[in-house]
Amino acid sequence: MWKFRDVISILDYTRDELEHLFSVTDVILERSLDVGKPLDGKIVATAFIEPSTRTRLSFETAAKRLGAEVINLEPHLSSMTKGESLTDTLRMLDDYANLIVIRSPYEGSAKHAADVCEHPVINGGDGTQHHPTQAMIDLYTIRKLKGRIDGLEVGVLGDLKYGRAAASFIYGLTKFNVKRIWLISPEPLSPRPELMDRLKRMNVDFVKTENLEEAVEDLDILYVTRIQKERFPDPAEYEKLRGSYVITKKLLSRASEDLKVLHPLPRVDELSNDVDDTPYQAYFIQAKLGVPVRMALIGLVLGVF
Ligand code: NCD
């Protein structure tokens, strides 16, 4: 069910398949990430044509911990600077590696890569809607910290239109039975119609609001996201919306003491550093869990788990 399958969208996975990924991750964590070198002799390629810190480095760490070697496309040093197409570039990586992880600003790049490549392709984020492995980490983090995903009230705040981490997370939540999803954003950054349609189709109880105050007391999870400056067609529109929300320790004083704040990171100005030392902080835990979840994922896709 995972073996040699391309990972393009969180929507392609059933709840059972996600639970299986989580159980494998549990075992990896129980063994302090030391599961031998099942990928000895294998090569993982990363093709990131858009900036990344956590996603690329945690994929690289995960692959190396499993014993694989990693080759990284450096787009600014590659023949793409001479005009070589992404398609030709991917063909080469497919000849060199056993697995390709791609990130791109363009919608549909991962699917295109999967069509071009014989080897499995993992989407490390493409365009504005899909970042399936981030959603897997987010869901796993919630399950680990809260013991469950079902029955929780989850707020997702920030850029719900251009933010692919937020969109994928919400899509992922629809695979579980959460109590309610609060969609908190300025009106122009509301989720896209296809995401709203999915929520309605799946009979998810959701509230759409611009006002965090309305939700904060009820939340078990608050998922904060950055306003995606680089994805706005009009920079003036970004300037109008930047700084719409700033999550501070003071603002969270009305929240339940069990509230956990997640953020896919990077943060810019929407999440104050003064939350870092509070029990609400779960975003660094979430980032750290990126390695074991991606180890489980790579191992499953390459058929060694
Ligand atoms: C996100 C992304 O690239 O979509 N980062 C990540 O992978 N953790 C979120 C963002 O850039 O805001």
Side-chain angles (χ1 to χ4, degrees):
M1 77 189 172
W2 283 88
K3 196 174 172 182
F4 300 140
R5 190 165 147 202
D6 302 304
V7 181
I8 307 298
S9 161
I10 191 77
L11 286 170
D12 299 337
Y13 292 86
T14 62
R15 176 180 180 140
D16 280 353
E17 287 169 332
L18 294 172
E19 306 263 18
H20 182 52
L21 174 78
F22 299 159
S23 319
V24 175
T25 308
D26 285 341
V27 174
I28 291 172
L29 274 176
E30 274 157 28
R31 298 190 189 168
S32 307
L33 313 194
D34 186 2
V35 288
K37 304 279 179 211
L39 293 185
D40 187 27
K42 297 277 191 267
I43 295 181
V44 171
T46 68
F48 278 44
I49 58 169
E50 194 185 48
S52 166
T53 298
R54 274 153 295 274
T55 305
R56 189 172 70 78
L57 292 177
S58 65
F59 263 115
E60 183 162 350
T61 306
K64 286 183 169 168
R65 283 200 178 271
L66 294 171
E69 304 232 29
V70 179
I71 55 171
N72 292 301
L73 176 79
E74 310 275 357
H76 58 290
L77 298 176
S78 78
S79 290
M80 290 180 84
T81 59
K82 303 174 189 168
E84 186 164 39
S85 68
L86 179 61
T87 306
D88 281 1
T89 306
L90 287 165
R91 278 202 179 102
M92 298 306 112
L93 293 179
D94 193 32
D95 285 340
Y96 304 156
N98 302 93
L99 170 73
I100 297 116
V101 186
I102 182 172
R103 161 167 293 194
S104 144
Y106 311 114
E107 227 73 60
S109 292
K111 173 76 177 68
H112 174 67
D115 291 342
V116 171
C117 297
E118 295 280 324
H119 290 104
V121 167
I122 297 180
N123 185 1
D126 67 342
T128 62
Q129 299 299 285
H130 294 292
H131 194 349
T133 69
Q134 182 65 51
M136 290 167 190
I137 294 162
D138 303 338
L139 295 167
Y140 182 78
T141 304
I142 294 174
R143 176 183 169 279
K144 181 137 192 72
L145 296 178
K146 295 280 186 189
R148 65 197 168 109
I149 298 166
D150 294 336
L152 299 180
E153 288 218 25
V154 183
V156 192
L157 174 135
D159 189 341
L160 310 186
K161 179 176 184 188
Y162 296 115
R164 60 190 171 208
S168 291
F169 175 59
I170 298 166
Y171 278 130
L173 289 174
T174 67
K175 302 278 172 175
F176 295 82
N177 298 313
V178 292
K179 184 170 169 201
R180 181 173 297 138
I181 303 179
W182 293 81
L183 304 167
I184 311 156
S185 71
E187 186 53 37
L189 298 181
S190 300
R192 289 171 190 266
E194 57 272 29
L195 178 45
M196 298 306 294
D197 286 348
R198 164 106 189 154
L199 294 175
K200 288 175 199 154
R201 221 172 39 247
M202 299 300 288
N203 279 322
V204 175
D205 183 353
F206 69 87
V207 181
K208 205 163 150 297
T209 176
E210 296 196 70
N211 185 4
L212 171 65
E213 308 275 313
E214 211 185 302
V216 73
E217 285 172 21
D218 295 331
L219 296 178
D220 299 297
I221 299 290
L222 176 60
Y223 189 95
V224 183
T225 63
R226 168 178 80 89
I227 298 194
Q228 306 271 307
K229 179 179 182 179
E230 70 278 24
R231 304 199 200 284
F232 279 69
D234 175 5
E237 187 65 13
Y238 169 73
E239 289 304 324
K240 272 195 256 161
L241 295 168
R242 66 183 291 182
S244 295
Y245 302 99
V246 183
I247 303 303
T248 60
K249 187 173 167 179
K250 181 158 177 283
L251 196 149
L252 296 177
S253 62
R254 286 183 36 231
S256 145
E257 58 184 34
D258 297 326
L259 170 76
K260 295 294 175 202
V261 177
L262 274 73
H263 191 311
L265 302 175
R267 64 175 154 184
V268 191
D269 50 15
E270 67 284 350
L271 177 57
S272 164
N273 290 351
D274 74 3
V275 182
D276 296 1
D277 298 324
T278 69
Y280 302 124
Q281 185 274 108
Y283 31 96
F284 296 131
I285 301 169
Q286 179 188 5
K288 192 169 173 183
L289 289 171
V291 172
V293 174
R294 288 183 168 125
M295 285 173 75
L297 176 67
I298 294 173
L300 284 169
V301 170
L302 287 181
V304 295
F305 292 149

